[in-house]
């Protein structure tokens, strides 16, 4: 029983439109799980099903091995993409209200809020009305309210949109800290690069279908194709390039260096070995740069979508 | 946490958010002051007007008319004797009387009356003129009848009013106008319900729109069911509304007591006889007569089925408000801002307005006629129309029991259906942004 959450063959239709088409995902306990896909792919619908805001037409969702039910609401913390606060309500009162809705007692909620407000250095906002706060300030409060009841599962839908870089970093650190304390996190975003450093598992959703699913590292390993970026310092770059083109599959590469060496992207046959390439290159020129090309989430996504579309 | 606890939390928040709202507080405080102030102003002005008693001089050269003018609340008459017309005019002006009524000398009453004239600085008020005219007319009529040989007893006999006696088949005496009084009592209950629905239904709607536009809605419904939120909102707003109404009634009562005592208006004045000048025995007799007439009305009002009326008011009020406010909540959920609500408002307001009109134009006239029965069964109008019929009680002389029960059952059935439909629209609507929905769209949402 390693999965905190399992969605099995979830289908959700809105009229003629199918928002989720037979989607299954497993979210391992203690992982940071990236739910990726472009806008409108169905991510938010899946998240709303997990939060029991809507219900699937068919398929099931298991939380800790049990079918999703009312008691699980208190075990989930959800920061929606469309998030806000009551404008004319005071910050403290509002946070207390939202925490109590999640099942905390008033006194417990007050204690924890005090801790978090001090931790994020927002203690003096307690008596302010939300309309007096900036957008970034309001988002800190939303974050606190999301994690306050110490849920087993945290769901963030586009968490960093609207945050300035400092606050985004702060929140990122807090999320990692929560993970260390044992929470499981689901991230939903269409900005693939923002999850690269956080997520260890991902699922790609495209046009209502899950097209990829697994450990980020495994996926990357599967998607790398023995390609290397090299920087070569040589007297005669044109000649060198011609020589290499006869022997390997060569393309231009773009990466930043301080010199003006020849920058190439070389793809080897599957059987070939990186050491052989490095040995060959160092005979011909001074190797200033040698890196295996690991596809990022964005590349993987684009490749996968293309592959899916060509397969029909 | 139990669903009930969450509901309580939501109700509490909605209630506090409402009663702490600045414009709500201002409305709560200002309305009774404004209303009582208006009433006080009107009473004050009428009193000032009435205090200015107009004195009219009567110069009767013919000696046929001078003792027929009787002093009333609004004017008194002073008889001038042995004065010329010009002298009389001068003295009226110098004393500051309102005007001078002059009858020339002569023997033929008709020609005297035809040649009489009223002199005044200002154009005389219609009340004064008609009072003088009718007095003169009476005098002329009396004289003519005397000419036909009738004595004064006969004249009194002629003057007696005739009133048809109405009685129900069970032998109870029916009083003229009592149906209207009953309908007005029922009508004010119905009107209260309509006002409450329109004011606080709109509050519910605005509160839903606010949650949508501030984007807090999804945070909330990840903790509670949309239906719980909707119900909590409706109940919290209703409690705020009841609070406001109670404050209005109490403060209006206290304020008017204070105001009336300050202004020296005796609350009993309307019933007591002390302030009427008991000039003649005739007048006294008239007063006791009118009290005799009033007595059965008071008795009849005492016989009103107060408990039935109050209990059914509570039932119709609660069900009517719940039906309409859930429609308001659904409308609020369907739109992004208040201007978009227009297209949906008409079908909501229509039955309410229709109920009031039907009530005033049809139920007053015929409280148990087919139109009254129809509208008091139709669930969207029954809370108002049935209450207008109920003062005549339930049973043989009033609303048949089956109609009362059917009306309530229909209302409960409708309540369940409407709340179910509204909560479906609400559930989908609160997460929809950006597009102005059509009725067709709403219908589609029901199937999501």
């Amino acid at each position: 029983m390693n999965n905190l959450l399992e969605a099995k063959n979830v289908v959700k239709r809105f009229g003629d439109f199918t928002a989720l088409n037979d989607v299954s995902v497993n979210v391992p306990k203690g992982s940071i799980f990236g739910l990726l896909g472009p806008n409108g792919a169905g991510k938010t619908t899946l998240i709303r099903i997990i939060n029991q805001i809507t219900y699937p037409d068919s398929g099931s969702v298991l939380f800790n091995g049990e079918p999703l039910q009312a008691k699980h609401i208190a075990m989930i913390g959800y920061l929606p993409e469309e998030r806000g606060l009551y404008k004319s309500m005071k910050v403290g009162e509002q946070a207390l209200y939202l925490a109590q809705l999640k099942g905390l007692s008033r006194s417990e909620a007050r204690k924890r809020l005090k801790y978090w407000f001090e931790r994020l250095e927002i203690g003096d906002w307690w008596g302010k009305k939300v309309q007096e706060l900036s957008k970034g300030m309001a988002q800190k409060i939303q974050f606190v309210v999301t994690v306050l009841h110490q849920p087993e599962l945290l769901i963030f839908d586009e968490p960093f949109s609207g945050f300035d870089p400092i606050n985004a970093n702060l929140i990122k650190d807090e999320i990692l800290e929560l993970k260390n304390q044992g929470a499981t996190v689901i991230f939903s975003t269409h900005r693939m690069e923002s999850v690269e450093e956080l997520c260890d598992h991902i699922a790609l959703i495209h046009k209502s279908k899950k097209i990829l699913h697994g450990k980020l590292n495994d996926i990357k390993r599967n998607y790398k194709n023995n390609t290397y970026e090299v920087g070569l310092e040589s007297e005669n770059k044109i000649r060198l390039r011609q020589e290499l083109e006869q022997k390997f599959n060569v393309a231009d590469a773009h990466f930043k260096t301080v010199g003006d060496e020849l920058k190439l992207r070389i793809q080897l046959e599957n059987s070939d070995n990186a050491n052989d390439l490095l040995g060959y290159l160092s005979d011909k020129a001074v190797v200033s740069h040698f890196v295996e090309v690991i596809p990022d989430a964005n590349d993987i996504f684009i490749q996968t979508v293309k592959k899916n579309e060509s397969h029909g | 946490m139990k669903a009930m606890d969450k509901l309580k939390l939501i109700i509490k928040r909605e209630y506090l958010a409402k009663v702490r709202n600045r414009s709500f507080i201002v409305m709560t405080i200002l309305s009774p002051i404004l209303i009582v102030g208006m009433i006080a102003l009107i009473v004050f002005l009428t009193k000032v007007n009435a205090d200015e008693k107009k004195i009219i001089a009567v110069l009767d050269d013919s000696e046929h008319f001078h003792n027929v003018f009787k002093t009333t609340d609004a004017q008194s008459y002073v008889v001038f004797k042995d004065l010329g017309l010009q002298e009389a005019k001068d003295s009226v002006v110098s004393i500051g009387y309102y005007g001078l009524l002059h009858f020339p000398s002569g023997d033929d009453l008709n020609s005297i009356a035809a040649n009489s004239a009223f002199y005044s600085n200002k154009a005389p008020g219609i009340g004064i003129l008609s009072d003088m005219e009718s007095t003169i007319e009476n005098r002329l009529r009396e004289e003519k009848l005397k000419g036909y040989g009738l004595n004064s007893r006969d004249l009194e006999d002629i003057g007696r009013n005739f009133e048809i006696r109405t009685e129900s088949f069970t032998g109870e005496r029916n009083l003229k106008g009592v149906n209207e009084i009953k309908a007005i009592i029922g009508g004010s209950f119905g009107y209260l319900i309509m006002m409450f629905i329109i004011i606080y239904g709109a509050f519910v709607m605005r509160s839903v729109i606010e949650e949508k536009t501030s984007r807090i809605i999804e945070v909330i419904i990840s903790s509670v069911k949309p239906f719980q939120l909707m119900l909590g909102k409706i109940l919290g707003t209703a409690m705020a509304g009841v609070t406001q109404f109670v404050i209005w009634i109490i403060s209006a009562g206290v304020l008017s007591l204070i105001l009336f005592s300050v202004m020296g208006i005796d609350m009993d004045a309307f019933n007591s006889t002390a302030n009427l000048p008991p000039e003649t025995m005739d007048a006294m007799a008239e007063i006791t007569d009118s009290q005799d007439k009033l007595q059965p009305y008071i008795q009849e009002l005492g016989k009103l089925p107060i408990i039935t009326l109050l209990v059914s008011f509570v039932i119709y009020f609660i069900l009517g408000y719940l039906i309409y406010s859930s429609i308001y909540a659904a409308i609020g959920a369907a739109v992004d801002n208040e201007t978009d609500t227009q297209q949906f408002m008409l079908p909501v307001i229509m039955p309410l307005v229709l109920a009031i009109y039907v009530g005033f134009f049809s139920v007053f006239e015929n409280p148990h006629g087919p139109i009254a029965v129809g509208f008091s069964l139709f669930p969207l109008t029954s809370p108002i129309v049935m209450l207008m019929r109920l003062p005549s009680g339930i049973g043989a002389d009033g609303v048949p029991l089956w109609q009362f029960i059917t009306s309530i059952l229909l209302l409960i059935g409708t309540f369940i259906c409407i709340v179910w439909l509204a909560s479906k629209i609400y559930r989908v609507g609160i997460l929809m942004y950006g597009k102005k929905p059509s009725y067709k769209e709403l219908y589609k949402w029901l199937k999501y």
Side-chain angles (χ1 to χ4, degrees):
Chain A
M1 201 24 258
N2 279 327
N3 292 329
L4 181 67
L5 190 88
E6 289 177 39
K8 287 180 181 163
N9 310 102
V10 171
V11 176
K12 179 72 186 175
R13 290 188 196 88
F14 296 108
D16 300 332
F17 175 72
T18 305
L20 289 174
N21 190 355
D22 200 24
V23 170
S24 302
V25 290
N26 296 327
V27 180
K29 215 170 240 174
S31 69
I32 296 188
F33 187 92
L35 192 59
L36 312 179
N39 283 328
K43 304 186 299 283
T44 299
T45 303
L46 181 59
I47 286 174
R48 282 178 181 167
I49 287 172
I50 296 170
N51 278 297
Q52 303 178 53
I53 292 172
T54 49
Y55 300 91
D57 294 332
S58 66
S60 61
V61 181
L62 302 181
F63 189 97
N64 257 335
E66 295 172 331
L68 212 52
Q69 50 197 276
K71 68 169 182 184
H72 293 134
I73 285 176
M75 303 174 189
I76 299 176
Y78 174 36
L79 185 67
E81 181 180 9
E82 296 284 3
R83 49 186 174 247
L85 296 165
Y86 288 111
K87 287 198 177 64
S88 53
M89 224 173 156
K90 284 181 179 155
V91 170
E93 213 179 320
Q94 179 149 211
L96 276 176
Y97 171 64
L98 294 171
Q100 281 176 280
L101 282 186
K102 280 290 187 186
L104 287 182
S105 74
R106 202 178 162 83
S107 54
E108 181 64 26
R110 186 182 291 274
K111 211 170 78 190
R112 292 193 198 174
L113 278 170
K114 235 177 158 179
Y115 164 79
W116 273 102
F117 273 44
E118 262 165 42
R119 191 182 164 99
L120 296 181
E121 296 165 348
I122 55 177
D124 51 333
W125 297 356
W126 187 273
K128 281 192 182 172
K129 283 192 174 174
V130 171
Q131 58 201 7
E132 299 168 42
L133 304 182
S134 74
K135 202 177 170 195
M137 290 162 132
Q139 285 185 331
K140 272 190 182 175
I141 292 159
Q142 286 155 358
F143 175 80
V144 170
V145 169
T146 309
V147 304
L148 196 71
H149 57 292
Q150 297 172 340
E152 284 180 59
L153 177 63
L154 284 163
I155 303 177
F156 298 100
D157 198 351
E158 301 291 356
F160 300 120
S161 70
F163 271 108
D164 59 63
I166 296 171
N167 274 335
N169 250 331
L170 187 78
I171 298 302
K172 206 184 281 173
D173 291 346
E174 292 297 342
I175 290 171
L176 288 171
E177 174 63 27
L178 287 166
K179 183 205 161 167
N180 288 340
Q181 289 169 10
T184 307
V185 180
I186 295 179
F187 255 125
S188 164
T189 184
H190 64 280
R191 285 157 51 185
M192 315 295 165
E193 69 281 1
S194 71
V195 291
E196 201 96 2
E197 49 180 312
L198 281 172
C199 297
D200 28 45
H201 286 71
I202 60 163
L204 281 184
I205 295 185
H206 179 62
K207 289 187 179 164
S208 320
K209 282 185 188 160
K210 185 191 73 181
I211 55 176
L212 192 66
H213 184 218
K215 256 188 167 162
L216 186 59
N217 285 342
D218 291 349
I219 290 172
K220 283 187 169 182
R221 215 169 291 135
N222 282 338
Y223 272 76
K224 69 176 187 177
N225 50 4
N226 222 1
T227 304
Y228 298 85
E229 271 180 352
V230 297
L232 303 169
E233 284 171 22
S234 158
E235 296 291 307
N236 195 338
K237 288 175 191 155
I238 298 167
R239 219 182 105 87
L240 180 61
R241 186 179 174 133
Q242 280 169 352
E243 259 178 62
L244 290 172
E245 272 171 353
Q246 281 165 10
K247 219 167 153 49
F248 305 106
N249 187 357
V250 173
D252 283 327
H254 305 278
F255 51 87
K256 273 193 177 151
T257 55
V258 285
D260 64 341
E261 59 270 68
L262 179 63
K263 295 172 185 171
L264 293 176
R265 184 182 271 244
I266 299 173
Q267 187 177 5
L268 299 180
E269 297 298 317
N270 282 340
S271 52
D272 289 348
N273 180 312
N275 270 342
D276 295 342
L277 174 63
L278 186 56
Y280 178 82
L281 291 175
S282 53
D283 282 350
K284 302 274 179 193
V286 179
V287 178
S288 62
H289 182 97
F290 190 89
V291 172
E292 181 173 16
V293 176
I294 311 282
D296 57 21
N298 206 30
D299 298 332
I300 294 171
F301 177 72
I302 290 167
Q303 278 189 48
T304 317
V305 168
K306 273 186 189 155
K307 209 159 62 185
N308 264 275
E309 275 168 0
S310 62
H311 284 271
Chain B
M1 184 155 84
K2 284 190 216 92
M4 242 2 231
D5 295 335
K6 286 189 182 179
L7 186 63
K8 268 187 217 154
L9 269 176
I10 297 167
I11 292 175
K12 189 175 142 207
R13 196 211 79 84
E14 293 295 331
Y15 179 80
L16 289 178
K18 199 74 240 152
V19 296
R20 283 182 189 165
N21 182 286
R22 201 167 292 147
S23 61
F24 186 85
I25 295 173
V26 171
M27 274 294 289
T28 310
I29 296 173
L30 275 190
S31 300
I33 295 178
L34 280 178
I35 290 170
V36 173
M38 284 265 286
I39 293 171
L41 189 68
I42 290 168
V43 170
F44 178 71
L45 290 178
T46 356
K47 221 180 145 220
V48 167
N49 216 17
D51 276 352
E52 200 197 355
K53 205 167 190 175
K54 299 184 175 77
I55 304 174
I56 292 158
V58 179
L59 178 63
D60 183 10
D61 296 339
S62 71
E63 306 271 318
H64 284 294
F65 285 93
H66 63 266
N67 52 6
V68 297
F69 291 98
K70 295 211 169 73
T71 298
T72 68
D73 277 352
Q75 64 260 346
S76 59
Y77 296 95
V78 175
V79 177
F80 281 1
K81 275 185 179 149
D82 306 324
L83 282 175
L85 180 57
Q86 194 51 48
E87 280 171 296
K89 278 184 191 171
D90 291 344
S91 42
V92 163
V93 170
S94 64
I95 300 170
Y97 284 168
Y98 184 75
L100 173 70
L101 180 59
H102 177 244
F103 295 95
S105 59
D107 281 325
D108 179 21
L109 287 184
N110 278 324
S111 73
I112 296 170
N115 290 317
S116 64
F118 182 72
Y119 305 93
S120 65
N121 262 338
K122 295 174 271 187
I126 242 171
I128 289 179
L129 274 184
S130 66
D131 186 64
M132 293 188 295
E133 280 166 1
S134 68
T135 308
I136 295 169
E137 271 166 28
N138 280 339
R139 177 78 183 85
L140 291 178
R141 189 182 299 131
E142 205 176 290
E143 194 61 30
K144 263 181 212 157
L145 291 170
K146 263 185 195 158
Y148 294 137
L150 296 171
N151 61 23
S152 54
R153 232 237 218 94
D154 295 331
L155 289 177
E156 209 174 283
D157 207 32
I158 286 170
R160 187 165 291 158
N161 287 331
F162 179 74
E163 205 174 293
I164 199 162
R165 198 178 135 91
T166 55
E167 216 168 274
S168 75
F169 287 116
T170 53
E172 267 181 89
R173 177 125 195 248
N174 276 337
L175 286 166
K176 211 173 73 177
V178 104
N179 273 342
E180 281 78 0
I181 294 174
K182 284 176 174 175
I184 284 170
I185 291 169
S188 38
F189 276 127
Y191 196 74
L192 199 65
I193 291 184
M194 184 193 81
M195 288 309 292
F196 197 94
I197 287 174
I198 288 181
I199 297 175
Y200 299 100
F203 277 157
V204 170
M205 186 180 77
R206 244 173 266 144
S207 161
V208 175
I209 294 174
E210 190 212 328
E211 271 174 1
K212 256 188 101 171
T213 48
S214 72
R215 301 289 199 263
I216 183 137
I217 189 74
E218 199 166 348
V219 177
I220 303 277
I221 59 167
S222 67
S223 304
V224 303
K225 296 247 170 300
F227 181 69
Q228 281 177 316
L229 180 60
M230 186 176 105
L231 195 62
K233 194 174 281 302
I234 287 171
L235 295 180
T237 307
M239 282 162 70
V242 170
T243 308
Q244 193 171 43
F245 262 66
V246 168
I247 292 176
W248 278 347
I249 288 166
I250 292 174
S251 57
V254 171
L255 269 178
S256 40
L257 264 183
I258 293 171
L259 261 170
F260 283 128
S261 60
V262 165
M263 288 176 61
I265 297 168
D266 186 1
M267 293 298 272
D268 294 332
F270 304 108
N271 309 324
S272 92
T273 57
N275 66 332
L276 294 172
E279 278 167 317
T280 59
M281 287 304 286
D282 257 11
M284 278 305 285
E286 220 167 88
I287 288 158
T288 36
D289 191 36
S290 76
Q291 265 191 338
D292 278 350
K293 268 187 202 155
L294 216 59
Q295 201 55 39
Y297 283 97
I298 292 166
Q299 265 179 7
E300 192 72 20
L301 291 184
K303 274 194 287 181
L304 277 178
I306 306 272
I307 292 175
T308 310
L309 212 52
L310 285 181
V311 168
S312 30
F313 171 72
V314 171
I315 295 174
Y316 281 106
F317 171 79
I318 291 175
L319 288 173
Y321 170 73
L322 285 178
I323 287 179
Y324 275 99
S325 56
S326 42
I327 299 177
Y328 272 106
I331 294 174
V335 300
D336 278 351
N337 54 62
E338 230 183 306
T339 42
D340 288 351
T341 61
Q342 303 298 341
Q343 54 167 333
F344 300 113
M345 291 310 292
L346 189 68
V348 181
I349 302 287
M350 269 266 279
L352 289 173
V353 174
L354 195 66
I356 288 288
Y357 275 110
V358 165
F360 280 99
F361 289 116
S362 182
V363 179
F364 276 26
E365 189 67 28
N366 187 2
H368 306 304
I371 291 178
V373 171
F375 278 92
S376 63
L377 292 181
F378 180 61
L380 290 180
T381 52
S382 64
I384 293 165
V385 177
M386 187 55 102
L387 279 175
M388 292 182 174
R389 295 179 62 200
L390 273 176
S392 49
I394 299 171
D397 290 335
V399 179
L401 188 61
W402 72 266
Q403 288 181 7
F404 182 69
I405 291 174
T406 311
S407 152
I408 287 188
L409 287 181
L410 279 175
L411 201 59
I412 291 173
T414 312
F415 160 69
I416 293 168
C417 289
I418 296 260
V419 169
W420 183 75
L421 288 176
S423 68
K424 286 207 111 177
I425 291 177
Y426 179 83
R427 198 167 55 91
V428 178
I430 44 178
L431 295 173
M432 293 279 181
Y433 293 106
K435 50 181 170 185
K436 203 171 151 183
S438 58
Y439 281 103
K440 204 175 144 201
E441 194 90 16
L442 294 190
Y443 177 70
K444 258 165 60 185
W445 290 1
L446 292 179
K447 293 183 287 184
Y448 280 6

